[in-house]
Amino acid sequence: MSGNANLTGLIDKAQEAGAIKRIRLEVLPEIKLRDKNSWLSKAQQINSFGDYSQSAIIYFSLYSLEKKEPERKVFYGISLAQELINASNLGEAEDVLKQIEKLSQKTKGILRLRVLSAVFEKKGWIADCRGLPHDEIRYLEKSRRSIAKIPLIQRDKEDQERLLTIEHFIGRAFYKRNRKNFRTDRAIGDLMEARRLFLANLKAYSKIGREDAVAFNNAWLTRVAMAMSDTKEAKKRVALAKKHFERVSEETSSNHILGHYYRIASEFAIFEKKKKEAVEQAIKALGFTIPSGTYFNGTMEAVRLLLKASAINK
């Protein structure tokens, strides 16, 4: 078991450092700003299939070419930072966010609040990748406060969805802080707060029909239930996660998102000490994350699950 613990420690360090492979960012000669809408659609489609390196290159091209409209440049930059985070090119994402913060000085009022909220949100995601839940909570709370400063009457759909996204990730951070400090009194409060946030988030996303967010909230509620040793609730939540992840896969004609289901399915099998099933589900998860330029953290998590499953004495 100590050998597995040492290997898990190496995985922790790998996730904190980010991917070794770096995306080569260069302006694609075929991209012209006059065709920006079609290239944006292409980047979003590529993202849905999990090829974050290619979508990052498109956003980088648009970001580099845009010289006249600061608002558009900020949008391209934020999108670029997100793709870099997805591919665990964390240092590069931080560099982009620094540039965006400088650009934000050219914006005013509500637009500035939206830009700052987006920057803090992405910084929170980077802290999440680096295993720093306390810093993640701090950045995400700053992001939430920036949006909260926008009068309700002036908030648009994106503002509302950003708030929901932020609150979901704050829930994740509380859960992860609980796992790091699960023997302390504060840890119990963190777990209960994570549960409260996920349940509220699930209710809000269900109302607006966001299947992907419903799936993710059920997956994280599965983790909370397992942490609370509530087998019945965990079984219910993992089944709901499966249902909604599969629905998203069907609607988008992309099975990339199923990697998230197979990881939570493997975690649940480990919880139930079902070694063969845990290994099989973790291997399936790897199948959705191994290709170059895709979800590095997902690959590391699947490997971690394989190690945990192999340690089951059954």
Side-chain angles (χ1 to χ4, degrees), residues 10 41 47 95 107 114 116 126 151 156 230 236 277 284 309:
L10 291 174
S41 296
N47 168 282
D95 290 341
T107 61
R114 286 174 177 150
L116 290 175
I126 292 171
D156 60 19
D230 189 341
K236 168 189 168 185
E277 183 179 341
K284 286 180 181 178

Side-chain angles (χ1 to χ4, degrees), residues 221-239 267-274:
L221 283 165
T222 304
R223 294 183 175 101
V224 170
M226 290 188 291
M228 298 173 74
S229 299
D230 189 341
T231 304
K232 183 179 178 181
E233 176 69 6
K235 188 173 184 178
K236 168 189 168 185
R237 292 296 174 184
V238 78
E267 288 177 53
F268 183 60
I270 291 169
F271 175 71
E272 290 197 307
K273 294 185 169 31
K274 295 179 178 178

Side-chain angles (χ1 to χ4, degrees), residues 74-313:
V74 164
F75 169 75
Y76 299 143
I78 291 296
S79 300
L80 168 60
Q82 182 61 66
E83 300 296 9
L84 291 169
I85 293 167
N86 289 345
S88 284
N89 280 216
L90 304 180
E92 289 80 355
E94 287 176 323
D95 290 341
V96 172
L97 291 175
K98 286 177 185 175
Q99 295 171 25
I100 298 300
E101 283 187 281
K102 288 182 180 178
L103 279 172
S104 73
Q105 295 171 7
K106 297 180 180 180
T107 61
K108 296 178 182 179
I110 290 174
L111 176 57
R112 180 168 169 75
L113 290 172
R114 286 174 177 150
V115 173
L116 290 175
S117 177
V119 168
F120 287 132
E121 180 195 344
K122 304 314 173 192
K123 285 185 175 184
W125 283 45
I126 292 171
D128 175 55
C129 293
R130 290 193 164 140
L132 301 169
H134 186 74
D135 287 347
E136 182 181 3
I137 292 168
R138 179 167 59 86
Y139 281 126
L140 292 175
E141 287 290 2
K142 284 185 175 182
S143 179
R144 180 160 62 177
R145 285 197 295 272
S146 295
I147 289 293
K149 288 178 182 177
I150 300 174
L152 273 172
I153 196 169
Q154 292 178 280
R155 289 183 200 172
D156 60 19
K157 183 182 176 182
E158 287 186 13
D159 294 329
Q160 299 296 346
E161 291 214 9
R162 169 155 279 136
L163 271 176
L164 288 175
T165 300
I166 292 164
E167 286 165 0
H168 172 79
F169 276 88
I170 291 174
R172 291 192 190 193
F174 274 116
Y175 169 83
K176 290 180 179 181
R177 194 167 74 177
N178 165 271
R179 296 293 83 196
K180 282 198 167 190
N181 307 288
F182 63 91
R183 289 188 180 90
T184 66
D185 289 338
R186 185 177 76 173
I188 298 170
D190 281 352
L191 194 61
M192 296 307 293
E193 179 63 5
R195 182 176 181 275
R196 184 191 71 77
L197 285 165
F198 291 139
L199 286 171
N201 210 247
L202 175 61
K203 184 177 180 181
Y205 272 123
S206 295
K207 283 183 178 178
I208 60 175
R210 274 283 303 275
E211 287 286 339
D212 57 337
V214 169
F216 280 114
N217 275 296
N218 275 301
W220 283 89
L221 283 165
T222 304
R223 294 183 175 101
V224 170
M226 290 188 291
M228 298 173 74
S229 299
D230 189 341
T231 304
K232 183 179 178 181
E233 176 69 6
K235 188 173 184 178
K236 168 189 168 185
R237 292 296 174 184
V238 78
L240 286 168
K242 180 177 189 290
K243 171 186 171 182
H244 291 285
F245 277 130
E246 287 180 343
R247 191 173 289 173
V248 175
S249 178
E250 290 170 7
E251 289 175 354
T252 60
S253 299
S254 168
N255 59 8
H256 169 70
I257 199 167
L258 293 179
H260 295 281
Y261 164 67
Y262 289 123
R263 281 195 293 280
I264 191 61
S266 181
E267 288 177 53
F268 183 60
I270 291 169
F271 175 71
E272 290 197 307
K273 294 185 169 31
K274 295 179 178 178
K275 184 172 185 174
K276 184 173 182 292
E277 183 179 341
V279 170
E280 288 173 347
Q281 301 286 33
I283 289 171
K284 286 180 181 178
L286 273 173
F288 290 95
T289 54
I290 282 178
S292 170
T294 58
Y295 190 36
F296 174 79
N297 264 356
T299 303
M300 293 294 99
E301 288 301 325
V303 172
R304 187 197 305 276
L305 291 169
L306 279 171
L307 289 173
K308 286 184 177 180
S310 68
I312 297 173
N313 296 316

